[in-house]
């Protein structure tokens, strides 16, 4: 399974690790993904979803249904 947030689509970012002697090597900055079971009030059911912690904070603020609608995600397919 790829490391992609199922709600926002966030994925890994390419970056550089810079040492003390300024030698630059490539590294991947992975998204902080968590497997969560969230209650979807409009659908009246639980949804198992792999989601970033940043999206979890937004869900606590706005609600799962409202946040999914703003992103254009159909929760019935998850």
């Amino acid at each position: 399974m790829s490391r992609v947030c199922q709600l926002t689509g966030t994925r890994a970012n390419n970056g550089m690790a810079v040492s003390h002697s300024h030698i630059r090597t490539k590294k991947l900055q992975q998204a902080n993904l968590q497997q969560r079971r969230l209650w979807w009030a409009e659908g009246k059911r639980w949804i198992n979803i792999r989601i970033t912690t940043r999206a979890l904070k937004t869900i606590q603020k706005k609600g799962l249904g409202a946040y999914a609608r703003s992103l254009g995600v159909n929760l019935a397919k998850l």
Side-chain angles (χ1 to χ4, degrees):
M1 178 182 274
S2 62
R3 294 185 183 205
V4 178
C5 178
Q6 291 179 321
L7 201 59
T8 61
T10 303
R11 54 182 67 234
N13 181 37
N14 288 321
M16 294 293 234
V18 182
S19 69
H20 180 70
S21 62
H22 205 67
I23 296 172
R24 294 159 48 102
T25 56
K26 289 184 179 182
K27 74 172 187 176
L28 266 181
Q29 297 169 336
Q30 296 287 356
N32 188 2
L33 291 177
Q34 307 292 320
Q35 183 72 34
R36 288 288 181 260
R37 184 174 174 247
L38 301 174
W39 177 252
W40 179 32
E42 290 87 0
K44 296 180 182 162
R45 66 183 179 103
W46 291 97
I47 293 178
N48 288 320
I49 190 168
R50 196 164 184 202
I51 192 167
T52 59
T53 53
R54 183 176 177 180
L56 275 173
K57 284 181 71 173
T58 309
I59 287 172
Q60 287 177 348
K61 181 179 177 183
K62 293 183 176 181
L64 179 60
Y67 188 47
R69 274 193 302 277
S70 70
L71 294 172
V73 175
N74 186 1
L75 290 175
K77 292 184 178 180
L78 296 178

